[in-house]
Amino acid sequence: MNEHTLTTFLQWLDSHLNFEKTPKKDIFWLDNMRTCCEKLGHPETSTPCFHVAGSKGKGSVSTLIAGILTAAGNKTGLYTSPHLVDFRERIATLSGFLTDTVYEKAAEQLMSCVGGQSATWFELVTLFAFLCFRETGMDYAVYEVGLGGRLDATNVVTPLVSCICEIEKEHTEYLGDTVEKIAAEKAGIIKPGIPVIIAPQSSQSIKDVFKTIAQDRNAPIVFADETADIPSITYGPNGMHVVLESPVFKRSVQADLHLLGDFQAQNALVAALAVKTAFPDFEESDIEKGLSSVTMPARFEMRKETDDLPPMVLDGAHTVNSIKATITTFARTHGTAKPVLLFACAADKDVEDIARLFAGFASKAIITKPGTAKASDIPRAQKAFETAGIDFRITEDFSAAIPQACREAKERRLPLLVTGSFYLIAEVKKQLETTTQR
């Protein structure tokens, strides 16, 4: 999509309610999506697909599934969110963006058909993905849920397999105030008769929610931790070697993951089980090749030190459990080094519990806002870091906080950890790209 067409299309999208920027309650329903899909000739049915929900890990599992399918020679579309730098990141393949012609034809179809009809920004982007993948003639598509599951815009698809990743408290004002209520919303993607793969969960009560709903819908359910095992995870200079075992595999699956963290081994297992459930004869060698091929920005992305910049880790961790995983992985990759922390999170995150995790871990914290797309609560974050006893500084202007954090880490000869919000990482990557181009 050329720059002029992309700008015009994004302006048209931005004229519709964007929940990512302006959260509002009671705006979720599927009737509008179904109506639009019908008007567009049901593009959601044009490509066999996988559907992935969860509180954490859904982006990684989606990408790993796409990696496995692509390794076997399949043309695979991948729909994820949010994007970091370029809108087209949301609707692409593992090898990169689709052609300009595909994006332009899909945009034309969408704008001419939907017109002035009331629709949210995310609904329109999801429809755009359906149209792009139909226009490309994808063999398969993988759709990551945006928020929740039951009423998410993606939930008009009928997948080959559904996946639900780890559940924890998040977006409680929209999904419910207990993990069980949130699990029930995520379980809304379980379709009658369609197998669902469940990632390891923190409690039996969450698993019971999934089991009950799956039974009600006669959907075969596979709990990854009950039907498979990860006997070995080994960290090395070039990544993380994992061994996956399950009766559905003809032999153990061994892969060298570029995605770091024990939880990524769990994500790899869920992805492998999903593909083997859909295609029992799928070759283990293609699973290994696919898992080993995947890289993802902002998922414990390590950047080497340069003359101007410190060694850096960018990790879009924004829940308590994901921050725990970030800290554990950092210790495995950096030993006892206490990083300088650049942190920002949206106003609805559990910043009190997150701040406590950083106590004794970070040598210094710089707290800022997560870009312009998300509202933040700086006074609340300040109180949380004070209570946790962390040495910190508040710099609300993220564009100033980023070089400030880089200088701080460089002067201290320590690595810089940027985490808490994908939107903050997006701003960091933009600045780094500008710096590199100078």
Side-chain angles (χ1 to χ4, degrees):
M1 185 182 290
N2 65 55
E3 188 173 339
H4 174 72
T5 305
L6 178 60
T7 300
T8 301
F9 180 59
L10 291 179
Q11 288 174 344
W12 179 77
L13 283 176
D14 285 341
S15 68
H16 297 78
L17 174 63
N18 186 345
F19 177 80
E20 291 182 4
K21 293 184 178 180
T22 312
K24 289 188 177 182
K25 295 184 181 182
D26 304 321
I27 65 167
F28 301 109
W29 56 87
L30 288 179
D31 291 350
N32 197 47
M33 279 297 292
R34 295 189 180 108
T35 299
C36 290
C37 284
E38 185 174 356
K39 290 176 68 176
L40 290 163
H42 288 289
E44 81 283 8
T45 66
S46 64
T47 310
C49 68
F50 292 75
H51 198 197
V52 185
S55 301
K56 56 174 287 193
K58 58 190 169 124
S60 294
V61 169
S62 298
T63 307
L64 289 163
I65 291 173
I68 295 170
L69 295 170
T70 301
N74 297 296
K75 200 174 178 181
T76 307
L78 179 61
Y79 178 57
T80 58
S81 60
H83 64 277
L84 291 175
V85 178
D86 191 307
F87 168 80
R88 292 169 295 178
E89 294 168 26
R90 294 172 179 257
I91 303 162
T93 68
L94 284 187
S95 59
F97 300 144
L98 310 182
T99 66
D100 287 350
T101 301
V102 165
Y103 289 125
E104 288 165 7
K105 285 185 177 179
E108 183 180 331
Q109 290 174 53
L110 183 62
M111 290 190 288
S112 62
C113 186
V114 174
Q117 183 168 334
S118 175
T120 68
W121 189 92
F122 190 75
E123 286 174 338
L124 293 171
V125 176
T126 302
L127 291 165
F128 183 55
F130 295 157
L131 292 168
C132 285
F133 296 155
R134 181 172 71 181
E135 189 67 35
T136 308
M138 292 293 183
D139 297 316
Y140 299 103
V142 187
Y143 296 105
E144 177 193 356
V145 167
L147 174 68
R150 181 175 63 93
L151 297 177
D152 187 75
T154 62
N155 203 28
V156 293
V157 301
T158 301
L160 299 169
V161 174
S162 304
C163 299
I164 303 179
C165 301
E166 184 178 346
I167 303 300
E168 61 179 298
K169 277 192 177 182
E170 48 140 9
H171 301 298
T172 52
E173 66 272 44
Y174 309 106
L175 304 179
D177 57 3
T178 68
V179 288
E180 291 79 16
K181 289 178 182 177
I182 293 169
E185 286 296 316
K186 307 285 186 181
I189 73 166
I190 299 175
K191 303 293 193 303
I194 303 296
V196 57
I197 312 298
I198 307 295
Q201 300 295 330
S202 61
S203 71
Q204 184 60 44
S205 61
I206 295 174
K207 296 170 81 169
D208 288 342
V209 170
F210 295 139
K211 189 179 294 185
T212 298
I213 293 174
Q215 287 175 345
D216 288 346
R217 296 175 188 174
N218 197 29
I221 186 167
V222 176
F223 291 100
D225 57 348
E226 296 178 10
T227 57
D229 189 29
I230 306 173
S232 175
I233 301 174
T234 308
Y235 287 79
N238 298 316
M240 184 177 75
H241 184 77
V242 300
V243 178
L244 313 177
E245 293 183 349
S246 171
V248 305
F249 302 146
K250 299 170 195 169
R251 58 171 176 81
S252 63
V253 169
Q254 301 196 35
D256 293 305
L257 298 183
H258 297 289
L259 307 183
L260 300 180
D262 290 10
F263 65 97
Q264 293 291 10
Q266 299 284 2
N267 291 336
L269 179 60
V270 171
L273 290 173
V275 174
K276 284 294 281 190
T277 299
F279 309 112
D281 295 329
F282 204 93
E283 291 296 331
E284 277 64 26
S285 59
D286 285 329
I287 294 176
E288 292 167 336
K289 181 180 175 183
L291 294 177
S292 300
S293 71
V294 170
T295 60
M296 294 180 69
R299 269 72 169 191
F300 211 86
E301 177 185 347
M302 294 197 293
R303 301 176 68 103
K304 293 182 179 179
E305 185 174 11
T306 68
D307 291 341
D308 301 319
L309 297 170
M312 202 176 302
V313 172
L314 310 177
D315 196 37
H318 52 85
T319 66
V320 172
N321 286 346
S322 59
I323 292 288
K324 284 180 182 176
T326 298
I327 291 171
T328 299
T329 305
F330 191 94
R332 293 199 174 186
T333 55
H334 291 76
T336 57
K338 293 185 179 296
V340 171
L341 174 69
L342 177 59
F343 176 83
C345 69
D348 62 347
K349 300 303 178 184
D350 189 358
V351 69
E352 290 79 15
D353 284 342
I354 288 173
R356 280 191 284 271
L357 295 174
F358 290 130
F361 168 72
S363 62
K364 173 87 175 189
I366 296 172
I367 301 169
T368 188
K369 291 182 176 179
T372 58
K374 285 279 189 178
S376 61
D377 189 337
I378 293 292
R380 181 182 169 198
Q382 179 174 348
K383 183 177 179 182
F385 275 74
E386 283 175 351
T387 302
I390 299 168
D391 181 19
F392 73 93
R393 177 187 305 158
I394 299 288
T395 303
E396 294 196 26
D397 181 358
F398 61 85
S399 62
I402 294 167
Q404 188 180 91
C406 289
R407 286 194 302 270
E408 187 88 39
K410 193 74 172 173
E411 290 170 2
R412 292 175 179 240
R413 297 184 178 180
L414 288 170
L416 173 65
L417 172 62
V418 184
T419 193
S421 169
F422 277 106
Y423 294 96
L424 172 62
I425 292 174
E427 297 300 336
V428 170
K429 291 179 81 71
K430 289 175 188 175
Q431 280 207 22
L432 291 178
E433 189 176 293
T434 302
T435 302
T436 303
Q437 291 173 353
R438 285 175 185 166

